[in-house]
Amino acid sequence: MTILHSIILGSLQGLTEFLPISSSGHLVLVPYVFNWNYQGKAFDVALHAGTAFAIVVFFWRDWLDIFKKAFSRRARVEGETIKKYPDNILWQILVASIPAVIVGLLLDKFAADYLNSTLFVTANLALFGILLWYVDKKSKSDLTPQKLTYKKSFLIGLSQSLALIPGVSRSGITLTAARWMGMPRAEAARFSFLLATPTIVGAFLMKIATIEKGGLDITFWLGVIAATVFGLLAIKFLLNYLKNSDLSIFMWYRIIAALIVLGIYLARLN
């Protein structure tokens, strides 16, 4: 793998993991469009490492306050950041993470082996983009994080299980579910990121043990750096963007990208 491929794919992973446009879908479709070969397990780990670093670095203060609030009675009545979340937010996130953990352990290899066909991923990219737009357009914004129940957080976490399917998007499907429950867009995105943290970090820790030291070359570390930097930029952008804008731009992006890939696929049949 070249250094250029490493930087491009790392940047792509960082952006698409946190924007609702599907990182797994892009990592299947972009190499297909440009005829790039599979980059190997080591590089998969690099991409997961970069996004794990990005989400932990961006939300470390939130997580610190969330843990304080869960285990300290005093913290529940003090602190500006803490006031953004209900007292039981840590336990809600842990409960909501259970479906994704179970599905990931059982079906990760199946998804990697059998759900990566170009047409299937392309269809998911478009269809789940339309679903995101439709739910966002029809939903109310009357569910504050403080009113979030275990049932609703669990259902949002259950939707995260679908992110195992390339083209769905972890950010996109959890945003869809959170908006369906009535969470305002910016709050839905923040909860989506917090919910994704255990899954992303867990996926990285599981994969890091599968590579050998020889795989930790310059392309590995450039992939990590690119994914981290662009992941941080994507998180900050989305949280700010959704304060005053809807999610339609991501639907249009997904549809246009799907049509371009479909056109290339049909052209290569001739």
Side-chain angles (χ1 to χ4, degrees):
M1 179 175 58
T2 68
I3 288 178
L4 179 61
H5 287 178
S6 174
I7 295 173
I8 291 174
L9 290 176
S11 304
L12 189 68
Q13 168 72 8
L15 288 172
T16 57
E17 178 68 43
F18 300 115
L19 298 180
I21 53 178
S22 180
S23 61
S24 59
H26 279 75
L27 292 176
V28 170
L29 297 178
V30 169
Y32 168 78
V33 169
F34 293 102
N35 288 316
W36 293 351
N37 294 325
Y38 173 62
Q39 308 302 321
K41 278 188 176 182
F43 194 68
D44 287 346
V45 175
L47 299 183
H48 281 86
T51 50
F53 291 158
I55 202 165
V56 170
V57 167
F58 194 95
F59 289 105
W60 74 269
R61 287 188 180 88
D62 293 67
W63 278 108
L64 181 62
D65 286 344
I66 286 170
F67 275 98
K68 284 181 179 179
K69 194 166 190 179
F71 297 106
S72 170
R73 184 175 181 278
R74 181 178 178 183
R76 287 195 282 270
V77 295
E78 295 182 359
E80 290 301 317
T81 306
I82 291 174
K83 293 178 182 177
K84 293 188 297 189
Y85 305 113
D87 292 347
N88 60 353
I89 185 66
L90 176 63
W91 314 119
Q92 288 194 29
I93 291 172
L94 293 178
V95 168
S97 299
I98 292 174
V101 171
I102 294 174
V103 172
L105 290 173
L106 294 178
L107 299 178
D108 182 60
K109 189 175 187 305
F110 174 83
D113 292 342
Y114 299 106
L115 300 181
N116 282 329
S117 72
T118 301
L119 287 181
F120 181 67
V121 175
T122 302
N124 289 334
L125 197 65
L127 291 175
F128 282 91
I130 294 171
L131 179 64
L132 172 66
W133 165 80
Y134 180 79
V135 171
D136 178 56
K137 181 180 179 181
K138 296 296 182 180
S139 296
K140 298 179 181 180
S141 298
D142 55 1
L143 178 65
T144 63
Q146 289 77 13
K147 296 179 181 178
L148 193 63
T149 64
Y150 278 104
K151 179 181 177 180
K152 290 180 178 179
S153 58
F154 180 80
L155 289 174
I156 296 171
L158 188 62
S159 74
Q160 186 179 214
S161 305
L162 294 175
L164 193 68
I165 304 172
V168 171
S169 170
R170 184 191 316 280
S171 173
I173 197 63
T174 51
L175 264 173
T176 300
R179 289 291 294 131
W180 179 48
M181 297 295 172
M183 292 186 74
R185 295 183 184 98
E187 286 79 0
R190 182 173 291 273
F191 183 74
S192 171
F193 290 141
L194 292 175
L195 180 59
T197 304
T199 307
I200 292 174
V201 173
F204 161 62
L205 294 176
M206 286 181 62
K207 290 179 179 291
I208 191 66
T210 66
I211 65 170
E212 300 176 356
K213 289 184 178 180
L216 304 179
D217 57 11
I218 183 64
T219 58
F220 176 92
W221 293 112
L222 286 174
V224 172
I225 293 170
T228 302
V229 171
F230 280 88
L232 288 167
L233 292 174
I235 294 171
K236 185 172 184 178
F237 165 77
L238 189 64
L239 291 175
N240 289 331
Y241 177 81
L242 292 181
K243 290 178 181 178
N244 301 301
S245 304
D246 64 19
L247 290 158
S248 59
I249 187 175
F250 301 107
M251 176 198 68
W252 288 116
Y253 170 84
R254 292 172 68 131
I255 290 175
I256 291 169
L259 290 174
I260 291 172
V261 174
L262 180 60
I264 293 172
Y265 178 85
L266 294 175
R268 289 179 179 176
L269 292 179
N270 301 324

